[in-house]
Amino acid sequence: SKRGICSRTEAERRIRAGRVTVDGRVVRDPEHPVDAAAARIEVDGVDATAPAPLYLVLNKPRGLVTTASDERGRDTVYRCFDGAGLGWIAPVGRLDQASEGLLLFTNDPAWAATITDPGTGPDKTYHVQIDGCPAPAQLEAMVRGFRCDREHLSLGSVRILREGGRNAWVELVLHEGRNRHIRRLMAAF
């Protein structure tokens, strides 16, 4: 385009086609982490000036999927940025379609990697409404976790925020998040 910004799909196509080099080496993986401030990036042999780092916070509404495009035609989180002219941005982590809450976006893959890495990133805190009022032993068991589909699912901590007659709101803290981690854990307990 006029300012050198192309769509995510176009950028991925160029990368996969081997048209992009990082420090003189061809890179074909669009998720390849790069320190844009230090690396020499070229597209078709022309220096690609990195855009200024961009860090965004979105209060993701329910009903949107966290992906650039959906094979089933569902609305994606990128709908929230329509017309903003942001260039390429990617979500830092995911929230499933039925969830709402804070979702980070950036054009800085190295920063995103530090945020999502369980060793360097922050814990993730969720407030979840559950069907029932858990006993202290159930809460302790959630922290210990269990094996599900060859993965150990557990919580860093859990506490009751408030209880009613039939349900409760709990605060769950994850050190790392796996696919549908909270939903699978809650279904087991």
Side-chain angles (χ1 to χ4, degrees):
S1 73
K2 293 179 216 170
R3 296 184 311 168
I5 298 172
C6 61
S7 72
R8 178 185 176 126
T9 305
E10 175 62 18
E12 288 179 356
R13 188 182 63 73
R14 290 177 185 178
I15 294 167
R16 290 191 202 309
R19 295 171 53 191
V20 176
T21 61
V22 176
D23 295 328
R25 292 189 172 157
V26 173
V27 173
R28 293 180 187 271
D29 177 8
E31 301 297 324
H32 179 81
V34 173
D35 180 356
R40 190 181 80 253
I41 304 168
E42 294 180 348
V43 179
D44 296 331
V46 178
D47 184 35
T49 305
L54 186 61
Y55 309 96
L56 303 168
V57 176
L58 173 69
N59 184 15
K60 179 202 160 302
R62 284 187 183 125
L64 302 179
V65 292
T66 307
T67 187
S69 63
D70 183 62
E71 68 282 351
R72 297 191 313 199
R74 298 174 292 184
D75 278 340
T76 76
V77 290
Y78 287 91
R79 182 188 80 185
C80 299
F81 302 112
D82 282 349
L86 297 172
W88 178 85
I89 57 172
V92 181
R94 298 206 180 287
L95 289 174
D96 69 22
Q97 185 178 14
S99 297
E100 64 183 53
L102 180 124
L103 189 58
L104 301 173
F105 286 80
T106 187
N107 63 354
D108 183 347
W111 178 79
T114 64
I115 294 297
T116 56
D117 185 317
T120 58
D123 289 340
K124 292 122 189 105
T125 302
Y126 300 85
H127 290 185
V128 178
Q129 184 179 22
I130 59 173
D131 190 14
C133 298
Q138 284 178 302
L139 298 176
E140 291 170 14
M142 288 179 195
V143 172
R144 283 192 309 273
F146 74 106
R147 291 216 46 89
C148 177
D149 300 327
R150 294 178 280 182
E151 293 179 304
H152 181 78
L153 299 178
S154 64
L155 300 174
S157 66
V158 59
R159 71 181 178 103
I160 296 174
L161 296 171
R162 64 183 178 273
E163 291 182 280
R166 294 186 200 157
N167 61 36
W169 278 90
V170 293
E171 180 181 84
L172 312 173
V173 176
L174 296 178
H175 300 305
E176 63 179 333
R178 301 184 186 276
N179 185 37
R180 299 182 57 81
H181 190 136
I182 293 172
R183 291 185 190 280
R184 293 189 295 160
L185 192 79
M186 293 297 109
F189 289 99

